Amino acid sequence: MDQGLRLVVRAAEYAARAHARHRRKDVDQTPYINHLAHVARLLAEVGCDAELVAAGYLHDTIEDVRVTYEELLAEFGQDIADLVLAVTDDKSLRWQLRKQAQIDHAAGSPPRVVALKLADKVSNLYSIRDTPPHGWDTAEIRKYIDWAHEVVSRLPEGNAELLAQYEGIRAELLAGIGGS
Ligand code: ZN
């Protein structure tokens, strides 16, 4: 069997186990794996390599479910462990500082990290459209869209297709809440 396919399937299973009890904060408490599968699919559909697609499945394991960098290193090797680390927020920082750190670090992102960050933001914006977080009003949605844009607008050129998808869903959301 193709090595890349095996890798992606292993990452999908690992993510499903690691996030087994993890839900999104929408009314339906959507299983978190849906977000991870969406990010992986977005990366695969624009022709990203298998390691990057696998990292799509794994990208929130360190940040959200206490998998360590060393565990990812042992299981998937340095390339994937480094990709995941590059999109992991420092949870020792308060929320505001964490969000600022994403803005500050955006410009230094290598192309594959740019693709991963874009796919993550695209997926999050789709989630806000389709299954908004419980209790979010228009102002809260607007705040998220504006913050995401601060990050994305500082990213170096990466994947034009993912950027176009981001612009599309952003425009749609802004139109939906009456902004621009
Ligand atoms: Zn994510």
Side-chain angles (χ1 to χ4, degrees):
M1 191 199 257
D2 178 73
Q3 286 296 320
L5 183 55
R6 270 166 81 143
L7 177 67
V8 171
V9 170
R10 276 210 299 127
E13 196 235 0
Y14 189 96
R17 283 178 192 275
H19 290 271
R21 277 182 282 278
H22 188 193
R23 308 281 155 163
R24 285 195 85 94
K25 295 186 189 104
D26 56 70
V27 176
D28 295 336
Q29 299 197 301
T30 305
Y32 203 80
I33 191 72
N34 290 27
H35 165 64
L36 305 169
H38 189 209
V39 170
R41 191 196 102 197
L42 288 166
L43 292 165
E45 283 186 344
V46 298
C48 292
D49 61 88
E51 283 73 18
L52 188 45
V53 175
Y57 270 115
L58 299 166
H59 77 274
D60 282 326
T61 51
I62 298 178
E63 186 173 313
D64 288 338
V65 287
R66 296 185 185 183
V67 171
T68 65
Y69 174 83
E70 288 70 26
E71 284 167 336
L72 288 183
L73 189 63
E75 197 73 35
F76 294 102
Q78 182 160 14
D79 181 37
I80 289 177
D82 284 351
L83 283 166
V84 174
L85 193 63
V87 297
T88 297
D89 283 356
D90 181 353
K91 283 226 163 158
S92 70
L93 298 175
R94 287 205 325 275
W95 189 88
Q96 195 64 40
L97 290 173
R98 249 191 284 157
K99 296 293 138 186
Q100 185 59 43
Q102 274 205 40
I103 296 169
D104 296 343
H105 296 152
S109 305
R112 290 160 83 230
V113 173
V114 172
L116 188 48
K117 288 184 175 183
L118 277 174
D120 192 29
K121 294 288 182 283
V122 169
S123 177
N124 285 334
L125 292 182
Y126 272 105
S127 294
I128 289 172
R129 186 192 70 179
D130 298 334
T131 52
H134 189 53
W136 275 30
D137 57 11
T138 303
E140 201 73 40
I141 291 172
R142 180 75 209 221
K143 207 166 96 182
Y144 183 87
I145 296 172
D146 288 348
W147 166 75
H149 201 60
E150 291 259 347
V151 176
V152 170
S153 61
R154 284 171 173 77
L155 290 173
E157 272 185 45
N159 190 295
E161 274 176 274
L162 285 171
L163 186 60
Q165 289 189 44
Y166 164 79
E167 295 291 359
I169 182 63
R170 174 173 186 267
E172 193 184 317
L173 269 177
L174 283 172
I177 60 172
S180 62

